[in-house]
């Protein structure tokens, strides 16, 4: 029989890195290798309505137990892709059974060291005495979000194999391309047919999230005046590189950068600058939990552009802002039951819940905005998107228990509100 650990180890070995530069759906065909396996596994454990859609979503149902058919339908989401930020090719997971807090040097890259006494890795202490899973050092592990996939699959298996737990109708959705911000681009809420949902894509044991950032992208384009450098003074060269460098230096780094902010403070983060003395492009992400403060970030960039334009009237400086996603808290603060029940379920699983605002987004940010309220539940994973990523079997088990308790709690309800 497949255990939670077997499932997790089998999923992480499948390369599912997504690719932001690709225009195909899903962005990489290799994600389907896992999606196809999940479809077969769902059929195997007896899930209903199992389907792999043309756009790469795996859907399934678990019917309500007798008498619970009228309860709200809950959907559980996890994503199959891993972040393009680090290699996900040939992942070789290592299980450190009953981890004793020793320093671990990962075998395929001796520079990758897990040390519970390192002040930069404070959470590793919580893994002592548990079965710790790491990568071998030259890839990420992929607990983000294959831990979530394994947790949902194990929950489904338990509910479908004669568990006495009573619950309402349940839907399952495994999405592609979450890491490149396209996870819900092709979701049909009608086809999912749920009243509410949870992503199982969070981090530390007990951590629950119902607030995320609101997010915009910004692009500043600077067209300079290009002349031969030998006659630049005569013909009024404006070097776009010089203007771009000064514009970036004028940003208030001390209080508005990712590296200088925490908790509820937002940031303006330039992440790409490219071009020539004739034309430069600067790409930013803008982030804040508050929509008005997010808008103020855009206004600040506009004021900077205006000032530089005034100083260089022959150049052309343009700002373009693109909406990305909005803080799910704007909708969820009125959906108390959805948040309360996930806290109660966590407690029922013997775990102390802690509500943490996400300094980023989840698939739930856009699902919630689209009309499907979707907060986020812990998987137990840590150090996502890098070679030091880890998770423990015991923390994943607690997430399975939380999700089962949540299914039971919703089975007693007749409405979402
Ligand atoms: Zn994730």
């Amino acid at each position: 029989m497949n255990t939670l650990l077997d499932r997790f180890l089998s999923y992480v070995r499948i390369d599912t890195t997504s690719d932001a530069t690709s225009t195909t759906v899903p962005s990489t065909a290799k994600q389907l290798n896992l999606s196809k396996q999940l479809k077969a596994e769902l059929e195997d454990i007896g899930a209903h309505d199992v389907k792999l859609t043309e756009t790469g979503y795996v859907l399934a149902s678990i019917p309500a137990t007798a008498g619970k058919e009228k309860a709200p339908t809950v959907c559980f989401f996890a994503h199959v892709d891993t972040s393009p930020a680090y290699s996900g090719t040939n992942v070789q997971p290592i299980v450190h059974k009953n981890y004793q807090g020793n320093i671990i040097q990962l075998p395929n890259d001796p520079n990758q060291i897990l040390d519970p006494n390192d002040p930069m890795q404070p959470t590793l202490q919580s893994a002592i005495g548990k079965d710790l899973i790491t990568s071998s050092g030259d890839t990420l592990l992929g607990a983000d979000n294959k831990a979530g996939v394994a947790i949902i699959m194990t929950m489904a298996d338990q509910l479908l194999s004669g568990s006495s737990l009573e619950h309402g109708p349940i839907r399952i959705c495994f999405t592609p391309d979450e890491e490149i911000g396209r996870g819900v681009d092709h979701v049909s809420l009608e086809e999912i047919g749920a009243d509410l949902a949870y992503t199982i894509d969070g981090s530390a044991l007990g951590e629950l999230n119902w607030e995320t950032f609101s997010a915009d992208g910004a692009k500043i384009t600077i067209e300079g005046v290009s002349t031969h450098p030998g006659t630049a003074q005569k013909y009024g060269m404006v070097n776009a590189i010089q203007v771009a460098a000064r514009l970036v230096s004028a940003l208030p780094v001390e209080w508005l950068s990712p590296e200088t902010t925490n908790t509820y403070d937002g940031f303006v983060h330039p992440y790409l600058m490219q071009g020539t003395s004739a034309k430069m492009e600067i790409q930013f992400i803008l982030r804040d939990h508050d929509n008005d403060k997010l808008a103020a970030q855009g206004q600040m960039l506009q004021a900077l552009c205006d000032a530089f334009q005034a100083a260089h009237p022959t150049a052309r400086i343009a700002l373009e802002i693109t909406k990305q996603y909005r803080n799910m808290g704007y909708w969820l603060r009125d959906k108390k039951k959805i948040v309360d029940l996930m806290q109660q379920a966590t407690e029922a699983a013997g775990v102390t819940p802690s509500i943490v605002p996400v300094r980023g987004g989840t698939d739930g940010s856009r699902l919630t905005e689209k009309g499907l309220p979707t907060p986020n539940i812990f998987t137990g994973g840590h150090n996502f998107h890098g070679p030091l990523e880890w998770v423990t079997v015991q923390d994943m088990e607690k997430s399975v228990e939380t999700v089962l308790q949540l299914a039971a709690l919703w089975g007693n309800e007749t409405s979402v509100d």
Side-chain angles (χ1 to χ4, degrees), residues 24-357:
T24 63
V25 179
S27 70
T28 52
K30 59 190 177 184
Q31 292 178 67
L32 295 171
N33 295 336
L34 176 54
S35 303
K36 285 177 193 157
Q37 178 176 323
L38 296 174
K39 174 178 183 267
E41 195 176 343
L42 282 162
E43 284 165 347
D44 204 45
I45 63 176
H48 292 217
D49 315 320
V50 181
K51 181 175 176 182
L52 173 58
T53 71
E54 274 177 15
T55 47
Y57 292 77
V58 181
L59 303 172
S61 307
I62 304 172
T65 52
K68 301 277 185 183
E69 297 84 356
K70 294 253 155 61
T73 300
V74 187
C75 185
F76 293 103
F77 281 86
H79 62 89
V80 299
D81 65 315
T82 61
S83 170
Y86 211 81
S87 169
T89 304
N90 192 21
V91 173
Q92 296 167 281
I94 303 172
V95 183
H96 311 260
K97 268 197 146 293
N98 191 13
Y99 174 57
Q100 289 303 304
N102 47 299
I103 293 172
I104 298 173
Q105 195 174 35
L106 297 176
N108 291 358
D109 180 353
N111 292 321
Q112 303 302 342
I113 291 167
L114 282 160
D115 177 0
N117 297 313
D118 178 348
M120 297 302 284
Q121 306 182 33
T123 53
L124 194 56
Q125 296 271 358
S126 74
I128 295 173
K130 299 176 182 173
D131 300 327
L132 174 69
I133 313 171
T134 67
S135 79
S136 51
D138 52 355
T139 66
L140 46 67
L141 174 63
D144 179 10
N145 184 219
K146 286 159 183 171
V149 176
I151 287 159
I152 293 172
M153 190 66 84
T154 304
M155 168 208 72
D157 190 10
Q158 293 193 14
L159 292 180
L160 290 161
S161 59
S163 152
S164 60
L165 191 134
E166 294 182 15
H167 59 86
I170 291 171
R171 293 283 281 158
I172 289 169
C173 182
F174 297 128
T175 62
D177 288 334
E178 190 269 356
E179 296 290 358
I180 56 168
R182 300 181 201 159
V184 300
D185 280 8
H186 302 278
V187 159
S188 156
L189 291 191
E190 212 166 89
E191 187 167 20
I192 286 180
D195 300 299
L196 72 146
Y198 295 92
T199 48
I200 315 301
D201 192 17
S203 184
L205 179 69
E207 231 178 76
L208 306 171
N209 320 104
W210 63 273
E211 289 178 286
T212 58
F213 270 146
S214 285
D216 284 342
K219 181 168 96 172
I220 294 178
T221 311
I222 302 164
E223 282 181 66
V225 176
S226 187
T227 68
H228 189 288
T231 54
Q233 194 178 20
K234 188 174 171 190
Y235 291 110
M237 174 193 273
V238 180
N239 185 335
I241 295 176
Q242 302 278 14
V243 178
R246 271 177 265 142
L247 196 149
V248 169
S249 314
L251 291 170
V253 178
E254 15 349 280
W255 55 271
L256 206 58
S257 274
E259 65 271 34
T260 57
T261 53
N262 212 336
T263 61
Y264 280 104
D265 296 325
F267 56 73
V268 171
H269 176 52
Y271 67 92
L272 183 144
M273 182 153 93
Q274 64 187 5
T276 63
S277 58
K279 184 176 176 182
M280 288 292 288
E281 179 188 304
I282 315 166
Q283 298 263 17
F284 299 80
I285 56 171
L286 315 184
R287 297 290 186 264
D288 204 287
H289 291 93
D290 183 288
N291 288 348
D292 293 334
K293 289 186 181 168
L294 182 73
Q297 293 180 354
Q299 287 151 12
M300 179 205 68
L301 284 183
Q302 186 60 60
L304 260 183
C305 287
D306 292 348
F308 276 80
Q309 180 67 78
H312 305 282
T314 54
R316 280 203 307 205
I317 302 175
L319 169 69
E320 192 188 323
I321 290 183
T322 321
K323 182 185 167 186
Q324 292 178 335
Y325 56 86
R326 290 295 174 261
N327 182 354
M328 59 166 86
Y330 280 101
W331 293 270
L332 288 174
R333 65 184 58 139
D334 299 326
K335 301 276 180 195
K336 249 192 129 319
K337 197 189 277 181
I338 295 174
V339 174
D340 285 352
L341 290 193
M342 85 175 165
Q343 279 180 276
Q344 285 176 35
T346 307
E347 280 165 6
V351 178
T352 308
S354 66
I355 302 278
V356 178

Side-chain angles (χ1 to χ4, degrees), residues 390-404:
W390 61 267
V391 69
T392 71
V393 178
Q394 288 76 8
D395 290 358
M396 285 196 290
E397 281 170 350
K398 284 294 184 190
S399 180
V400 173
E401 232 177 295
T402 299
V403 175
L404 284 167

